[in-house]
Amino acid sequence: QVQLVESGGGLVQAGGSLRLSCAASGRTFSTYVMGWFRQAPGKEREFVAAINWSAGITYYADSVKGRFTISRDTAKNTVYLQMNSLKPEDTAVYLCAAEPGLGYRPERIATIFPRYWGQGTQVTVSS
């Protein structure tokens, strides 16, 4: 069993930055892919970014490419999402997710429903 706990959400002005953390506990496999998703009220859950645990290969949604950076600290079992140049449309609950067995292809997490989810952290970007 894997537990995920997000932190770092908050209120920020447009153009500002925010750094989210996702702390994972339990067994972490080298084949895991970790990802960030977001969901705004009245909208479906949207893929944001993903990283494979072993090599740190990343994959991003077009909407955040060039603005967001996903990374991981393997010693701390933590994945981060650095969000820069934030826009009001980035406002959402951001959720951390994990899926074992995806290996070196982080983009695959965007095509499935991951096995493990955190509770989410609210990010609000004011105009």
Side-chain angles (χ1 to χ4, degrees), residues 16-114:
S17 298
L18 210 57
R19 184 181 185 239
L20 306 183
S21 298
C22 175
S25 61
R27 193 169 188 176
T28 300
F29 299 94
S30 62
T31 57
Y32 269 42
V33 167
M34 305 287 289
W36 288 96
F37 295 74
R38 64 188 183 186
Q39 188 165 19
K43 296 184 178 180
E44 292 189 348
R45 192 169 298 168
E46 176 189 19
F47 168 76
V48 176
I51 186 169
N52 74 316
W53 198 254
S54 58
I57 300 170
T58 59
Y59 181 77
Y60 298 93
D62 289 340
S63 59
V64 305
K65 196 173 299 182
R67 299 188 298 122
F68 291 9
T69 302
I70 188 171
S71 61
R72 91 280 196 236
D73 185 332
T74 57
K76 296 181 178 180
N77 283 349
T78 300
V79 64
Y80 305 96
L81 185 67
Q82 178 66 47
M83 304 183 294
N84 299 324
S85 301
L86 283 163
K87 306 174 181 179
E89 50 262 45
D90 294 319
T91 296
V93 173
Y94 282 71
L95 302 109
C96 181
E99 177 67 31
L102 296 183
Y104 284 86
R105 307 188 71 178
E107 66 274 13
R108 292 184 65 186
I109 201 170
T111 68
I112 64 167
F113 191 84

